Amino acid sequence: MLKINENYLKLKESYLFSEIAKRVQKYGAEHPDQKIIRMGIGDVTLPLCGAAVSEMEKAAAEMGKAETFHGYGPEQGYEFLQKAVASYYAERGISLEEREIFISDGAKSDLGNILDLFSKDNRVLIPDPVYPVYVDTNLMDGREIVYLPANRENHFLPLPQPGLEGDILYLCSPNNPTGAVYSKEQLQKWVDFAREHGSVILFDAAYEAFVSDGSPRSIYEIEGAKECAVEFCSLSKTAGFTGTRCGYTVVPLALNFGGVPLNRLWLRRQTTKFNGVSYVVQRAAMGVFTEEGQRQARRNIEVYKENARLVTGTLDRLGIWYTGGKNSPYIWMECPGGMGSWEFFDYLLENAQIVGTPGQGFGENGKGYFRFSAFSSPADTAEAMERFRRLFSR
């Protein structure tokens, strides 16, 4: 008789954002005349930049002609995009070989798929609160998870503590959901920890383009990181590719465990289980890395950062504690009046028709906190904050 993977039964019945969608749908059906402003899930609202669209159109035209048609491409990505990504890193003083860069359909996929390379006996260190994918993909494999408490006392940036041991470590900076950003000195402590313990760091840099104060945008800005860290990045938030799907994963050649190079294993995994990102999408991504594409992408990011400033300015005036919003599109606030996360979610939806994300959905240490996203339109963000201000100025 067939046996299922019983680890799936350990997962929460409903994915966080599915539960949010159900509650919003129910409220919308009961109040069809109310305009609901969504500031919860991290989907973008601005369109792809013109440079990406132009390259995509040219590539689509090529696909319609026999002499320029592209069939199966290299699973690790076309060389033209690998070169573009390598140049992007080089501008920040980080030297990467093209074969260290693997083009993907987004950071979320690879953050889960990379676990194929590691034994299920490995112990996993995951900050709490955390992006749910880190937790769920390890629960699916049955690994032991040790949660690293992130809280106001440590500014939601946990650091190595005496006696801590683990084999796989997840770090996300700028952080989702809290918006907190590690300093170079703090990341050096984690790199030193990983090298001392023979651990691997899985570094999620999906929001690196929002950093503007000199904080690290890549783990490879840290000495020794190429010997212990894999970096995941995405064009979803950098250039609006949430529906287009393209990202990249960096697996340094210097990354060896037990004499086995991780780069070789990842290439073998990808060539077996992944057929690569489409030519048209990779050409669009290449457009993002052109000089004009970078200017256009930065303009879009500045719109979202201005939204974040509007949110944080509102919270400042109301005296509500928060973190994030400066180098991140996320603002992590304390629920007013001692409300619980889901209690505040329902209160805000019912009284101001604003949707955010309950912090409790990101882990035990998210209880009593709430996440706003800055990815709404400027007009909706302004209207939402005016509603918020009126609600809490009573």
Side-chain angles (χ1 to χ4, degrees):
M1 182 177 176
L2 174 71
K3 293 183 178 180
I4 65 168
N5 181 352
E6 294 187 358
N7 290 314
Y8 275 71
L9 304 180
K10 301 173 185 176
L11 300 173
K12 293 180 181 178
E13 186 173 340
S14 178
Y15 185 54
L16 169 62
F17 297 110
S18 300
E19 176 61 27
I20 290 172
K22 283 196 298 186
R23 295 194 186 203
V24 174
Q25 185 178 26
K26 180 177 183 293
Y27 180 86
E30 294 171 352
H31 305 84
D33 57 327
Q34 298 279 7
K35 176 186 175 182
I36 299 173
I37 300 178
R38 290 169 171 80
M39 298 183 66
I41 194 167
D43 200 358
V44 295
T45 52
L46 294 174
L48 296 178
C49 65
V53 173
S54 177
E55 287 295 330
M56 183 182 286
E57 290 172 339
K58 293 175 188 175
E62 288 179 27
M63 295 296 284
K65 300 175 183 178
E67 61 271 23
T68 53
F69 172 78
H70 291 263
Y72 288 122
E75 292 89 349
Q76 65 270 39
Y78 284 99
E79 186 178 353
F80 64 77
L81 186 52
Q82 291 176 304
K83 284 184 176 179
V85 174
S87 295
Y88 181 67
Y89 275 86
E91 291 171 3
R92 289 176 273 153
I94 299 168
S95 176
L96 295 177
E97 293 189 33
E98 290 158 28
R99 57 184 173 151
E100 295 178 302
I101 298 165
F102 295 79
I103 307 304
S104 72
D105 62 356
K108 180 179 181 180
S109 299
D110 278 4
L111 280 160
N113 292 333
I114 197 76
L115 295 175
D116 283 0
L117 308 189
F118 307 126
S119 167
K120 294 176 174 56
D121 296 330
N122 285 310
R123 193 183 206 201
V124 186
L125 304 178
I126 301 180
D128 177 340
V130 68
Y131 182 43
V133 170
Y134 307 162
V135 175
D136 289 352
T137 50
N138 279 285
L139 287 177
M140 290 171 181
D141 280 350
R143 289 188 185 84
E144 177 190 2
I145 297 175
V146 175
Y147 292 100
L148 308 174
N151 47 48
R152 283 184 68 170
E153 286 67 38
N154 60 23
H155 306 287
F156 287 94
L157 295 168
L159 292 170
Q161 300 298 321
L164 182 66
E165 294 184 2
D167 307 299
I168 301 171
L169 166 66
Y170 285 83
L171 294 178
C172 179
S173 181
N175 186 265
N176 178 13
T178 68
V181 181
Y182 277 107
S183 68
K184 190 171 185 178
E185 292 73 24
Q186 290 171 322
L187 286 179
Q188 187 68 64
K189 291 180 180 180
W190 277 121
V191 167
D192 292 344
F193 170 88
R195 295 178 69 187
E196 178 184 348
H197 291 81
S199 310
V200 65
I201 295 173
L202 304 182
F203 189 79
D204 186 350
Y207 304 96
E208 57 86 16
F210 285 81
V211 174
S212 56
D213 68 352
S215 297
R217 294 169 56 187
S218 168
I219 191 67
Y220 303 124
E221 295 177 42
I222 310 305
E223 184 179 352
K226 286 187 178 181
E227 299 172 17
C228 64
V230 178
E231 181 159 293
F232 306 82
C233 202
S234 167
L235 295 184
S236 288
K237 307 308 174 4
T238 301
F241 272 57
T242 53
T244 308
R245 308 308 307 147
C246 194
Y248 48 89
T249 295
V250 180
V251 187
L253 294 170
L255 195 55
N256 287 267
F257 292 93
V260 179
L262 216 60
N263 182 284
R264 188 183 75 197
L265 294 187
W266 184 240
L267 176 62
R268 186 67 178 88
R269 189 267 174 205
Q270 292 299 79
T271 54
T272 300
K273 290 189 174 185
F274 186 54
N275 263 345
V277 178
S278 77
Y279 172 74
V280 174
V281 167
Q282 290 195 56
R283 279 283 299 277
M286 186 185 72
V288 173
F289 290 106
T290 63
E291 187 175 342
E292 180 59 26
Q294 285 292 289
R295 278 197 296 267
Q296 294 170 356
R298 287 302 312 170
R299 283 200 295 267
N300 283 359
I301 288 172
E302 283 305 313
V303 171
Y304 297 133
K305 293 189 76 167
E306 181 58 36
N307 286 347
R309 283 190 284 269
L310 184 56
V311 176
T312 58
T314 301
L315 297 179
D316 284 334
R317 285 192 292 275
L318 294 170
I320 296 174
W321 185 91
Y322 67 89
T323 188
K326 181 180 180 182
N327 294 306
S328 166
Y330 298 122
I331 299 92
W332 181 255
M333 59 167 282
E334 188 173 42
C335 297
M339 278 190 268
S341 296
W342 283 105
E343 180 187 5
F344 184 63
F345 174 90
D346 291 332
Y347 179 81
L348 204 56
L349 177 60
E350 292 167 6
N351 292 278
Q353 294 74 55
I354 301 171
V355 177
T357 309
Q360 186 174 341
F362 295 105
E364 192 69 19
N365 284 301
K367 289 182 176 179
Y369 292 91
F370 200 75
R371 190 194 77 175
F372 275 130
S373 158
F375 289 120
S376 295
S377 70
D380 278 352
T381 302
E383 182 177 350
M385 288 302 99
E386 177 58 23
R387 293 182 191 180
F388 191 93
R389 184 193 63 76
R390 289 200 304 266
L391 182 63
F392 290 99
S393 295
R394 295 174 180 174

